[in-house]
Amino acid sequence: MSKILNSTIGIAGCGTMGLPMLEVLLKNNINAFGYDIISKESFSSLENNFISSKKDFFQKVDVIFSVVRDINQTKELCEGKNGLFQLNSPKTLIISSTLSPAFLNHFFQNAPENITMIEAPMSGAPMKAKDATLTFMVGAEKNQYENILPILNILGEKIHHIGKFGSGMSVKVLNNFVASCSVVAVRHVLSEAKYLNISSEQLLEILNCSSGKTWFSENIKNIDWAKESYTKENTIGILEKDVNSFLDGLENSESETSQALLNFQKSLLNSLRNIPKFPNED
């Protein structure tokens, strides 16, 4: 058995992605524990595999998947009170949240030497987390990648080693920018279809066998957040955060972004905040 499979694995952030990942690990007889700022009562199904104390959680686990929401929660997890970076023992931190590549590179440079930091952002939404078919985009040294690969193979179906630290998150924010465009486009045409005497079912059927097919249109019936309107806390709000992560990553790059593209990016953010209601909600 691979060494990492004998390690104690921690999932920090037991939300819509982290919780099913933890459940998959437990079903595969991996010694795994979850941690979240939400009270233990919300995770009764995990019984003793949920640790409500951050300090106790970090002392218990060897390898930590960070699946928290954003930069602030990542900094609190690692640099806040009883944070990971206060430990002296060796730990492996796998960043699976979608964060700004610019922030992440700075964060990496300031990590303590006893912390091995790897990035493995993922794609597939909760439905893929539940059936262990996630896609991971890994940024790490080759030996680090090979070390964590057995655990990623339990959680996912398609594992890609992109390159050194920073490359995985760069791919992820580019991917999510395109995905966000798709979500806005599909939701917009579904809301407009009725004005052209086309039902949403008819439109989806044609989209999914024509050039308009996207991951969102094809999986819309299985995506639990597909009908959501925008709030900062929900998945549409996370998409807004991901687009901003992409833009932040470009800010200090050598990209010569045209004004037209900048206008498009601003329009995309505005469209996410004002995404049309799903037709069935009318």
Side-chain angles (χ1 to χ4, degrees):
M1 180 180 284
S2 171
K3 182 180 178 181
I4 196 170
L5 298 184
N6 287 322
S7 301
T8 303
I9 310 298
I11 301 290
C14 295
T16 56
M17 296 296 289
L19 180 58
M21 290 169 67
L22 177 57
E23 291 171 339
V24 166
L25 292 177
L26 294 173
K27 286 177 184 177
N28 283 272
N29 298 314
I30 300 299
N31 191 30
F33 296 87
Y35 163 77
D36 200 284
I37 58 173
I38 298 175
S39 66
K40 186 174 184 176
E41 287 70 27
S42 300
F43 304 99
S44 56
S45 62
L46 296 176
E47 298 180 345
N48 293 329
N49 291 97
F50 183 86
I51 302 174
S52 55
S53 164
K54 187 200 296 185
K55 182 178 180 180
D56 293 345
F57 172 75
F58 284 137
Q59 289 178 340
K60 181 83 171 179
V61 300
D62 306 305
V63 178
I64 303 102
F65 280 86
S66 175
V67 200
V68 298
R69 180 183 177 91
D70 53 25
I71 287 174
N72 288 336
Q73 290 189 11
T74 302
K75 291 170 70 175
E76 172 59 27
L77 183 73
C78 296
E79 300 175 340
K81 184 179 180 181
N82 296 320
L84 177 63
F85 288 180
Q86 295 176 19
L87 272 65
N88 295 319
S89 55
K91 303 286 182 179
T92 297
L93 174 64
I94 302 173
I95 302 284
S96 290
S97 309
T98 302
L99 305 172
S100 160
F103 159 77
L104 197 59
N105 283 324
H106 177 76
F107 196 62
F108 175 74
Q109 295 297 327
N110 288 281
E113 290 185 2
N114 60 299
I115 305 297
T116 298
M117 193 182 298
I118 298 170
E119 47 160 9
M122 55 200 172
S123 183
M127 63 180 184
K128 293 286 187 179
K130 291 173 184 176
D131 61 17
T133 56
L134 289 165
T135 296
F136 285 96
M137 294 145 265
V138 184
E141 298 294 336
K142 185 178 180 181
N143 65 319
Q144 295 172 338
Y145 166 71
E146 291 173 347
N147 180 50
I148 68 167
L149 183 58
I151 206 77
L152 295 182
N153 279 330
I154 291 175
L155 295 167
E157 185 176 54
K158 298 177 181 178
I159 319 299
H160 300 273
H161 183 207
I162 307 302
K164 292 186 178 182
F165 192 93
S167 59
M169 197 63 68
S170 295
V171 169
K172 181 61 180 357
V173 297
L174 291 166
N175 171 83
N176 281 25
F177 181 82
V178 174
S180 298
C181 293
S182 168
V183 171
V184 168
V186 172
R187 286 285 297 270
H188 181 75
V189 296
L190 286 177
S191 73
E192 297 293 335
K194 63 184 179 182
Y195 299 110
L196 298 172
N197 299 315
I198 304 293
S199 72
S200 57
E201 287 293 325
Q202 285 177 311
L203 180 57
L204 281 171
E205 182 179 358
I206 297 302
L207 284 176
N208 290 331
C209 65
S210 303
S211 58
K213 182 171 75 171
T214 68
W215 173 84
F216 184 69
S217 69
E218 190 173 30
N219 292 285
I220 197 166
K221 293 181 179 179
N222 300 316
I223 298 171
D224 55 2
W225 51 267
K227 298 181 180 181
E228 289 180 351
S229 296
Y230 169 85
T231 72
K232 276 193 169 294
E233 290 73 31
N234 68 10
T235 305
I236 304 298
I238 290 175
L239 287 176
E240 177 194 27
K241 181 264 298 180
D242 291 351
V243 172
N244 279 318
S245 293
F246 164 67
L247 301 180
D248 186 54
L250 283 179
E251 191 170 316
N252 295 318
S253 73
E254 296 179 2
S255 171
E256 296 181 0
T257 308
S258 68
Q259 187 59 49
L261 185 54
L262 287 171
N263 291 340
F264 175 76
Q265 292 163 349
K266 291 177 183 177
S267 178
L268 175 60
L269 288 169
N270 186 57
S271 296
L272 285 167
R273 296 183 196 113
N274 296 280
I275 199 161
K277 280 189 175 182
F278 199 84
N280 292 343
E281 295 178 2
D282 289 345

